Amino acid sequence: MKRILTIAAVAICSISAMAQLKNASDATLNQIAKANEKVKTIQCDFSRTQKMEFMTTPATSNGKFCYTKADKLSMAYSDGELFIINGETVSLGTKDGKSRNLKASNKHVEDLASTLLACMSGNVTSLEGTLKKTDNGAKQITYMIDVNYKMGRSKVKSLELKYDKSDFTLASLKLIEEDGSYTTYELKAKSLNKDIPEETYASQKNNRKK
């Protein structure tokens, strides 16, 4: 449960309908947004690597990732824990079968959900921050974005977004804190535009009722 609560605790942006990425003149941003208009669903494996200031070595966890455009996302960890976005609902499911609505208990969760969905949709220009660097590599396009997001007592100072040039979908998202701590989410072996059952985005509580 602790590692998923880390996701909920990370206020990776303060995003609104008027938010706009500064210095967003790179032509590849439009290319990514245009390509992702055709992407309706993504299914893949994912990993989360976290290195906190007090940790001697990074901690890695794995699971299954599902995304349905435009407002559904599921991170199902291998130990049974779940993080789900389903429209206006953001829920956390634990390996002992408990589930709760995070929006009611964490004011940053709505911002987190909006940012995750923006990155998945390729709508990078909607993020609040300043584009500092673009690396148009052979296989991936990398964006470094300066931000100033609160995360408990610490702050996230920058985001690193990587998009695969093979299909222009998100490959990884890295959050870097002021003290050097970081959390990276990496999407692997992606499968696009295949049907995903609606129950994938149901909370554990709702699944137990069926």
PDB file of all heavy atoms in Angstrom, residues 15-33 118-119 121-129 131 143 145 161 163:
ATOM      1  N   ILE A  15      -2.682  21.623 -12.511  1.00  0.00           N
ATOM      2  CA  ILE A  15      -3.097  21.804 -13.890  1.00  0.00           C
ATOM      3  C   ILE A  15      -4.529  22.308 -13.935  1.00  0.00           C
ATOM      4  O   ILE A  15      -5.346  21.916 -13.124  1.00  0.00           O
ATOM      5  CB  ILE A  15      -2.963  20.483 -14.677  1.00  0.00           C
ATOM      6  CG1 ILE A  15      -3.258  20.700 -16.156  1.00  0.00           C
ATOM      7  CG2 ILE A  15      -3.859  19.405 -14.138  1.00  0.00           C
ATOM      8  CD1 ILE A  15      -2.936  19.491 -17.012  1.00  0.00           C
ATOM      9  N   SER A  16      -4.818  23.208 -14.853  1.00  0.00           N
ATOM     10  CA  SER A  16      -6.173  23.718 -15.013  1.00  0.00           C
ATOM     11  C   SER A  16      -6.448  23.837 -16.496  1.00  0.00           C
ATOM     12  O   SER A  16      -5.586  23.595 -17.343  1.00  0.00           O
ATOM     13  CB  SER A  16      -6.312  25.096 -14.346  1.00  0.00           C
ATOM     14  OG  SER A  16      -5.538  26.063 -15.033  1.00  0.00           O
ATOM     15  N   ALA A  17      -7.683  24.218 -16.806  1.00  0.00           N
ATOM     16  CA  ALA A  17      -8.061  24.331 -18.209  1.00  0.00           C
ATOM     17  C   ALA A  17      -7.235  25.391 -18.923  1.00  0.00           C
ATOM     18  O   ALA A  17      -7.062  25.353 -20.136  1.00  0.00           O
ATOM     19  CB  ALA A  17      -9.545  24.661 -18.323  1.00  0.00           C
ATOM     20  N   MET A  18      -6.673  26.370 -18.163  1.00  0.00           N
ATOM     21  CA  MET A  18      -5.909  27.444 -18.756  1.00  0.00           C
ATOM     22  C   MET A  18      -4.411  27.186 -18.718  1.00  0.00           C
ATOM     23  O   MET A  18      -3.632  27.994 -19.192  1.00  0.00           O
ATOM     24  CB  MET A  18      -6.221  28.751 -18.025  1.00  0.00           C
ATOM     25  CG  MET A  18      -7.678  29.168 -18.103  1.00  0.00           C
ATOM     26  SD  MET A  18      -8.232  29.412 -19.813  1.00  0.00           S
ATOM     27  CE  MET A  18      -7.257  30.836 -20.264  1.00  0.00           C
ATOM     28  N   ALA A  19      -3.983  26.076 -18.138  1.00  0.00           N
ATOM     29  CA  ALA A  19      -2.562  25.786 -18.036  1.00  0.00           C
ATOM     30  C   ALA A  19      -1.963  25.605 -19.420  1.00  0.00           C
ATOM     31  O   ALA A  19      -2.588  25.055 -20.317  1.00  0.00           O
ATOM     32  CB  ALA A  19      -2.338  24.542 -17.194  1.00  0.00           C
ATOM     33  N   GLN A  20      -0.730  26.070 -19.585  1.00  0.00           N
ATOM     34  CA  GLN A  20      -0.065  25.966 -20.870  1.00  0.00           C
ATOM     35  C   GLN A  20       1.427  25.869 -20.645  1.00  0.00           C
ATOM     36  O   GLN A  20       2.008  26.653 -19.893  1.00  0.00           O
ATOM     37  CB  GLN A  20      -0.377  27.196 -21.743  1.00  0.00           C
ATOM     38  CG  GLN A  20       0.099  27.081 -23.168  1.00  0.00           C
ATOM     39  CD  GLN A  20      -0.749  26.143 -24.001  1.00  0.00           C
ATOM     40  OE1 GLN A  20      -1.922  25.952 -23.697  1.00  0.00           O
ATOM     41  NE2 GLN A  20      -0.166  25.543 -25.016  1.00  0.00           N
ATOM     42  N   LEU A  21       2.053  24.908 -21.289  1.00  0.00           N
ATOM     43  CA  LEU A  21       3.488  24.728 -21.172  1.00  0.00           C
ATOM     44  C   LEU A  21       4.209  25.902 -21.825  1.00  0.00           C
ATOM     45  O   LEU A  21       3.921  26.266 -22.962  1.00  0.00           O
ATOM     46  CB  LEU A  21       3.895  23.418 -21.850  1.00  0.00           C
ATOM     47  CG  LEU A  21       5.360  23.014 -21.751  1.00  0.00           C
ATOM     48  CD1 LEU A  21       5.708  22.667 -20.309  1.00  0.00           C
ATOM     49  CD2 LEU A  21       5.642  21.823 -22.665  1.00  0.00           C
ATOM     50  N   LYS A  22       5.154  26.495 -21.107  1.00  0.00           N
ATOM     51  CA  LYS A  22       5.927  27.619 -21.635  1.00  0.00           C
ATOM     52  C   LYS A  22       7.063  27.108 -22.507  1.00  0.00           C
ATOM     53  O   LYS A  22       7.582  26.027 -22.294  1.00  0.00           O
ATOM     54  CB  LYS A  22       6.471  28.471 -20.485  1.00  0.00           C
ATOM     55  CG  LYS A  22       5.389  29.104 -19.625  1.00  0.00           C
ATOM     56  CD  LYS A  22       5.995  29.884 -18.471  1.00  0.00           C
ATOM     57  CE  LYS A  22       4.913  30.487 -17.594  1.00  0.00           C
ATOM     58  NZ  LYS A  22       5.480  31.216 -16.429  1.00  0.00           N
ATOM     59  N   ASN A  23       7.456  27.923 -23.478  1.00  0.00           N
ATOM     60  CA  ASN A  23       8.522  27.581 -24.426  1.00  0.00           C
ATOM     61  C   ASN A  23       8.180  26.337 -25.242  1.00  0.00           C
ATOM     62  O   ASN A  23       9.072  25.599 -25.660  1.00  0.00           O
ATOM     63  CB  ASN A  23       9.855  27.367 -23.704  1.00  0.00           C
ATOM     64  CG  ASN A  23      10.375  28.647 -23.055  1.00  0.00           C
ATOM     65  OD1 ASN A  23       9.966  29.738 -23.409  1.00  0.00           O
ATOM     66  ND2 ASN A  23      11.286  28.491 -22.105  1.00  0.00           N
ATOM     67  N   ALA A  24       6.882  26.102 -25.462  1.00  0.00           N
ATOM     68  CA  ALA A  24       6.436  24.891 -26.152  1.00  0.00           C
ATOM     69  C   ALA A  24       6.378  25.116 -27.661  1.00  0.00           C
ATOM     70  O   ALA A  24       5.336  24.974 -28.299  1.00  0.00           O
ATOM     71  CB  ALA A  24       5.077  24.458 -25.622  1.00  0.00           C
ATOM     72  N   SER A  25       7.527  25.460 -28.237  1.00  0.00           N
ATOM     73  CA  SER A  25       7.571  25.735 -29.675  1.00  0.00           C
ATOM     74  C   SER A  25       8.143  24.580 -30.483  1.00  0.00           C
ATOM     75  O   SER A  25       8.199  24.652 -31.715  1.00  0.00           O
ATOM     76  CB  SER A  25       8.417  26.994 -29.935  1.00  0.00           C
ATOM     77  OG  SER A  25       9.737  26.830 -29.429  1.00  0.00           O
ATOM     78  N   ASP A  26       8.572  23.504 -29.812  1.00  0.00           N
ATOM     79  CA  ASP A  26       9.175  22.376 -30.505  1.00  0.00           C
ATOM     80  C   ASP A  26       8.144  21.681 -31.385  1.00  0.00           C
ATOM     81  O   ASP A  26       7.058  21.326 -30.937  1.00  0.00           O
ATOM     82  CB  ASP A  26       9.759  21.390 -29.496  1.00  0.00           C
ATOM     83  CG  ASP A  26      10.690  20.377 -30.140  1.00  0.00           C
ATOM     84  OD1 ASP A  26      10.186  19.496 -30.849  1.00  0.00           O
ATOM     85  OD2 ASP A  26      11.907  20.492 -29.935  1.00  0.00           O
ATOM     86  N   ALA A  27       8.498  21.461 -32.644  1.00  0.00           N
ATOM     87  CA  ALA A  27       7.557  20.877 -33.606  1.00  0.00           C
ATOM     88  C   ALA A  27       7.165  19.453 -33.251  1.00  0.00           C
ATOM     89  O   ALA A  27       6.080  18.989 -33.640  1.00  0.00           O
ATOM     90  CB  ALA A  27       8.172  20.912 -35.003  1.00  0.00           C
ATOM     91  N   THR A  28       8.021  18.748 -32.522  1.00  0.00           N
ATOM     92  CA  THR A  28       7.706  17.359 -32.183  1.00  0.00           C
ATOM     93  C   THR A  28       6.514  17.261 -31.238  1.00  0.00           C
ATOM     94  O   THR A  28       5.843  16.219 -31.197  1.00  0.00           O
ATOM     95  CB  THR A  28       8.919  16.660 -31.537  1.00  0.00           C
ATOM     96  OG1 THR A  28       9.292  17.362 -30.339  1.00  0.00           O
ATOM     97  CG2 THR A  28      10.103  16.622 -32.493  1.00  0.00           C
ATOM     98  N   LEU A  29       6.224  18.314 -30.477  1.00  0.00           N
ATOM     99  CA  LEU A  29       5.073  18.291 -29.569  1.00  0.00           C
ATOM    100  C   LEU A  29       3.771  18.127 -30.347  1.00  0.00           C
ATOM    101  O   LEU A  29       2.888  17.363 -29.951  1.00  0.00           O
ATOM    102  CB  LEU A  29       5.041  19.564 -28.723  1.00  0.00           C
ATOM    103  CG  LEU A  29       6.147  19.711 -27.677  1.00  0.00           C
ATOM    104  CD1 LEU A  29       6.168  21.127 -27.114  1.00  0.00           C
ATOM    105  CD2 LEU A  29       5.964  18.696 -26.556  1.00  0.00           C
ATOM    106  N   ASN A  30       3.649  18.836 -31.453  1.00  0.00           N
ATOM    107  CA  ASN A  30       2.467  18.700 -32.299  1.00  0.00           C
ATOM    108  C   ASN A  30       2.421  17.330 -32.963  1.00  0.00           C
ATOM    109  O   ASN A  30       1.350  16.746 -33.142  1.00  0.00           O
ATOM    110  CB  ASN A  30       2.449  19.791 -33.368  1.00  0.00           C
ATOM    111  CG  ASN A  30       2.182  21.164 -32.787  1.00  0.00           C
ATOM    112  OD1 ASN A  30       1.508  21.298 -31.761  1.00  0.00           O
ATOM    113  ND2 ASN A  30       2.712  22.191 -33.426  1.00  0.00           N
ATOM    114  N   GLN A  31       3.578  16.804 -33.316  1.00  0.00           N
ATOM    115  CA  GLN A  31       3.656  15.483 -33.930  1.00  0.00           C
ATOM    116  C   GLN A  31       3.163  14.409 -32.977  1.00  0.00           C
ATOM    117  O   GLN A  31       2.412  13.509 -33.359  1.00  0.00           O
ATOM    118  CB  GLN A  31       5.105  15.203 -34.349  1.00  0.00           C
ATOM    119  CG  GLN A  31       5.290  13.958 -35.191  1.00  0.00           C
ATOM    120  CD  GLN A  31       6.728  13.789 -35.643  1.00  0.00           C
ATOM    121  OE1 GLN A  31       7.643  14.404 -35.095  1.00  0.00           O
ATOM    122  NE2 GLN A  31       6.930  12.953 -36.646  1.00  0.00           N
ATOM    123  N   ILE A  32       3.562  14.506 -31.704  1.00  0.00           N
ATOM    124  CA  ILE A  32       3.137  13.548 -30.695  1.00  0.00           C
ATOM    125  C   ILE A  32       1.640  13.662 -30.432  1.00  0.00           C
ATOM    126  O   ILE A  32       0.927  12.655 -30.355  1.00  0.00           O
ATOM    127  CB  ILE A  32       3.944  13.740 -29.399  1.00  0.00           C
ATOM    128  CG1 ILE A  32       5.364  13.198 -29.592  1.00  0.00           C
ATOM    129  CG2 ILE A  32       3.272  13.047 -28.210  1.00  0.00           C
ATOM    130  CD1 ILE A  32       6.287  13.472 -28.443  1.00  0.00           C
ATOM    131  N   ALA A  33       1.152  14.893 -30.305  1.00  0.00           N
ATOM    132  CA  ALA A  33      -0.277  15.097 -30.061  1.00  0.00           C
ATOM    133  C   ALA A  33      -1.114  14.547 -31.216  1.00  0.00           C
ATOM    134  O   ALA A  33      -2.143  13.900 -30.994  1.00  0.00           O
ATOM    135  CB  ALA A  33      -0.561  16.582 -29.854  1.00  0.00           C
ATOM    136  N   ALA A 118      -2.962  13.516 -19.280  1.00  0.00           N
ATOM    137  CA  ALA A 118      -2.403  14.407 -20.290  1.00  0.00           C
ATOM    138  C   ALA A 118      -1.172  13.790 -20.942  1.00  0.00           C
ATOM    139  O   ALA A 118      -0.995  13.847 -22.161  1.00  0.00           O
ATOM    140  CB  ALA A 118      -2.051  15.750 -19.662  1.00  0.00           C
ATOM    141  N   CYS A 119      -0.311  13.188 -20.133  1.00  0.00           N
ATOM    142  CA  CYS A 119       0.890  12.540 -20.667  1.00  0.00           C
ATOM    143  C   CYS A 119       0.528  11.355 -21.546  1.00  0.00           C
ATOM    144  O   CYS A 119       1.119  11.142 -22.612  1.00  0.00           O
ATOM    145  CB  CYS A 119       1.797  12.084 -19.523  1.00  0.00           C
ATOM    146  SG  CYS A 119       2.569  13.420 -18.591  1.00  0.00           S
ATOM    147  N   SER A 121      -2.186  10.917 -23.258  1.00  0.00           N
ATOM    148  CA  SER A 121      -2.849  11.362 -24.478  1.00  0.00           C
ATOM    149  C   SER A 121      -1.910  12.109 -25.417  1.00  0.00           C
ATOM    150  O   SER A 121      -2.288  12.445 -26.541  1.00  0.00           O
ATOM    151  CB  SER A 121      -4.040  12.267 -24.135  1.00  0.00           C
ATOM    152  OG  SER A 121      -3.586  13.504 -23.598  1.00  0.00           O
ATOM    153  N   GLY A 122      -0.672  12.368 -24.958  1.00  0.00           N
ATOM    154  CA  GLY A 122       0.284  13.107 -25.769  1.00  0.00           C
ATOM    155  C   GLY A 122       0.075  14.610 -25.738  1.00  0.00           C
ATOM    156  O   GLY A 122       0.720  15.352 -26.480  1.00  0.00           O
ATOM    157  N   ASN A 123      -0.772  15.067 -24.834  1.00  0.00           N
ATOM    158  CA  ASN A 123      -1.080  16.494 -24.737  1.00  0.00           C
ATOM    159  C   ASN A 123      -0.092  17.185 -23.790  1.00  0.00           C
ATOM    160  O   ASN A 123      -0.464  17.747 -22.768  1.00  0.00           O
ATOM    161  CB  ASN A 123      -2.515  16.671 -24.246  1.00  0.00           C
ATOM    162  CG  ASN A 123      -3.014  18.089 -24.398  1.00  0.00           C
ATOM    163  OD1 ASN A 123      -2.411  18.908 -25.093  1.00  0.00           O
ATOM    164  ND2 ASN A 123      -4.118  18.390 -23.740  1.00  0.00           N
ATOM    165  N   VAL A 124       1.177  17.150 -24.166  1.00  0.00           N
ATOM    166  CA  VAL A 124       2.246  17.675 -23.315  1.00  0.00           C
ATOM    167  C   VAL A 124       2.101  19.173 -23.086  1.00  0.00           C
ATOM    168  O   VAL A 124       2.431  19.688 -22.010  1.00  0.00           O
ATOM    169  CB  VAL A 124       3.628  17.365 -23.933  1.00  0.00           C
ATOM    170  CG1 VAL A 124       4.753  17.892 -23.056  1.00  0.00           C
ATOM    171  CG2 VAL A 124       3.789  15.859 -24.138  1.00  0.00           C
ATOM    172  N   THR A 125       1.591  19.900 -24.063  1.00  0.00           N
ATOM    173  CA  THR A 125       1.511  21.360 -23.952  1.00  0.00           C
ATOM    174  C   THR A 125       0.508  21.820 -22.893  1.00  0.00           C
ATOM    175  O   THR A 125       0.491  22.994 -22.533  1.00  0.00           O
ATOM    176  CB  THR A 125       1.134  21.994 -25.297  1.00  0.00           C
ATOM    177  OG1 THR A 125      -0.111  21.445 -25.760  1.00  0.00           O
ATOM    178  CG2 THR A 125       2.221  21.730 -26.330  1.00  0.00           C
ATOM    179  N   SER A 126      -0.321  20.918 -22.385  1.00  0.00           N
ATOM    180  CA  SER A 126      -1.280  21.296 -21.345  1.00  0.00           C
ATOM    181  C   SER A 126      -0.660  21.268 -19.946  1.00  0.00           C
ATOM    182  O   SER A 126      -1.282  21.716 -18.987  1.00  0.00           O
ATOM    183  CB  SER A 126      -2.507  20.370 -21.373  1.00  0.00           C
ATOM    184  OG  SER A 126      -2.156  19.064 -20.938  1.00  0.00           O
ATOM    185  N   LEU A 127       0.560  20.731 -19.820  1.00  0.00           N
ATOM    186  CA  LEU A 127       1.203  20.665 -18.513  1.00  0.00           C
ATOM    187  C   LEU A 127       1.684  22.040 -18.080  1.00  0.00           C
ATOM    188  O   LEU A 127       2.100  22.858 -18.900  1.00  0.00           O
ATOM    189  CB  LEU A 127       2.400  19.699 -18.564  1.00  0.00           C
ATOM    190  CG  LEU A 127       2.077  18.263 -18.924  1.00  0.00           C
ATOM    191  CD1 LEU A 127       3.366  17.449 -19.034  1.00  0.00           C
ATOM    192  CD2 LEU A 127       1.161  17.627 -17.882  1.00  0.00           C
ATOM    193  N   GLU A 128       1.637  22.284 -16.778  1.00  0.00           N
ATOM    194  CA  GLU A 128       2.067  23.566 -16.238  1.00  0.00           C
ATOM    195  C   GLU A 128       3.555  23.485 -15.907  1.00  0.00           C
ATOM    196  O   GLU A 128       3.979  22.733 -15.036  1.00  0.00           O
ATOM    197  CB  GLU A 128       1.282  23.930 -14.980  1.00  0.00           C
ATOM    198  CG  GLU A 128       1.613  25.318 -14.464  1.00  0.00           C
ATOM    199  CD  GLU A 128       0.740  25.715 -13.287  1.00  0.00           C
ATOM    200  OE1 GLU A 128       0.152  24.822 -12.663  1.00  0.00           O
ATOM    201  OE2 GLU A 128       0.672  26.922 -12.999  1.00  0.00           O
ATOM    202  N   GLY A 129       4.352  24.259 -16.624  1.00  0.00           N
ATOM    203  CA  GLY A 129       5.790  24.247 -16.416  1.00  0.00           C
ATOM    204  C   GLY A 129       6.481  24.932 -17.576  1.00  0.00           C
ATOM    205  O   GLY A 129       5.846  25.612 -18.390  1.00  0.00           O
ATOM    206  N   LEU A 131       9.288  24.158 -20.709  1.00  0.00           N
ATOM    207  CA  LEU A 131      10.099  23.217 -21.467  1.00  0.00           C
ATOM    208  C   LEU A 131      11.522  23.749 -21.557  1.00  0.00           C
ATOM    209  O   LEU A 131      11.771  24.813 -22.116  1.00  0.00           O
ATOM    210  CB  LEU A 131       9.511  23.013 -22.865  1.00  0.00           C
ATOM    211  CG  LEU A 131      10.267  22.042 -23.778  1.00  0.00           C
ATOM    212  CD1 LEU A 131      10.270  20.632 -23.187  1.00  0.00           C
ATOM    213  CD2 LEU A 131       9.643  22.032 -25.174  1.00  0.00           C
ATOM    214  N   TYR A 143      11.702  15.009 -23.279  1.00  0.00           N
ATOM    215  CA  TYR A 143      11.422  16.386 -22.876  1.00  0.00           C
ATOM    216  C   TYR A 143      11.772  16.568 -21.405  1.00  0.00           C
ATOM    217  O   TYR A 143      11.346  15.784 -20.561  1.00  0.00           O
ATOM    218  CB  TYR A 143       9.938  16.733 -23.074  1.00  0.00           C
ATOM    219  CG  TYR A 143       9.458  16.581 -24.494  1.00  0.00           C
ATOM    220  CD1 TYR A 143       8.652  15.505 -24.853  1.00  0.00           C
ATOM    221  CD2 TYR A 143       9.798  17.509 -25.470  1.00  0.00           C
ATOM    222  CE1 TYR A 143       8.211  15.361 -26.157  1.00  0.00           C
ATOM    223  CE2 TYR A 143       9.357  17.371 -26.778  1.00  0.00           C
ATOM    224  CZ  TYR A 143       8.566  16.289 -27.118  1.00  0.00           C
ATOM    225  OH  TYR A 143       8.132  16.147 -28.405  1.00  0.00           O
ATOM    226  N   ILE A 145      11.152  19.170 -18.411  1.00  0.00           N
ATOM    227  CA  ILE A 145      10.237  20.258 -18.091  1.00  0.00           C
ATOM    228  C   ILE A 145      10.479  20.705 -16.654  1.00  0.00           C
ATOM    229  O   ILE A 145      10.411  19.893 -15.722  1.00  0.00           O
ATOM    230  CB  ILE A 145       8.779  19.817 -18.260  1.00  0.00           C
ATOM    231  CG1 ILE A 145       8.534  19.345 -19.697  1.00  0.00           C
ATOM    232  CG2 ILE A 145       7.817  20.949 -17.879  1.00  0.00           C
ATOM    233  CD1 ILE A 145       7.164  18.741 -19.927  1.00  0.00           C
ATOM    234  N   LEU A 161       9.959  13.355 -19.656  1.00  0.00           N
ATOM    235  CA  LEU A 161       9.013  12.567 -20.427  1.00  0.00           C
ATOM    236  C   LEU A 161       9.720  11.986 -21.640  1.00  0.00           C
ATOM    237  O   LEU A 161      10.428  12.701 -22.349  1.00  0.00           O
ATOM    238  CB  LEU A 161       7.834  13.422 -20.907  1.00  0.00           C
ATOM    239  CG  LEU A 161       7.052  14.210 -19.858  1.00  0.00           C
ATOM    240  CD1 LEU A 161       5.959  15.016 -20.542  1.00  0.00           C
ATOM    241  CD2 LEU A 161       6.467  13.293 -18.815  1.00  0.00           C
ATOM    242  N   TYR A 163       8.972   9.699 -25.178  1.00  0.00           N
ATOM    243  CA  TYR A 163       7.993   9.138 -26.107  1.00  0.00           C
ATOM    244  C   TYR A 163       8.718   8.321 -27.165  1.00  0.00           C
ATOM    245  O   TYR A 163       9.722   8.763 -27.732  1.00  0.00           O
ATOM    246  CB  TYR A 163       7.176  10.249 -26.777  1.00  0.00           C
ATOM    247  CG  TYR A 163       6.164  10.877 -25.848  1.00  0.00           C
ATOM    248  CD1 TYR A 163       6.534  11.899 -24.973  1.00  0.00           C
ATOM    249  CD2 TYR A 163       4.841  10.441 -25.827  1.00  0.00           C
ATOM    250  CE1 TYR A 163       5.608  12.464 -24.105  1.00  0.00           C
ATOM    251  CE2 TYR A 163       3.917  11.006 -24.968  1.00  0.00           C
ATOM    252  CZ  TYR A 163       4.303  12.015 -24.113  1.00  0.00           C
ATOM    253  OH  TYR A 163       3.384  12.563 -23.250  1.00  0.00           O
TER     254      TYR A 163
END
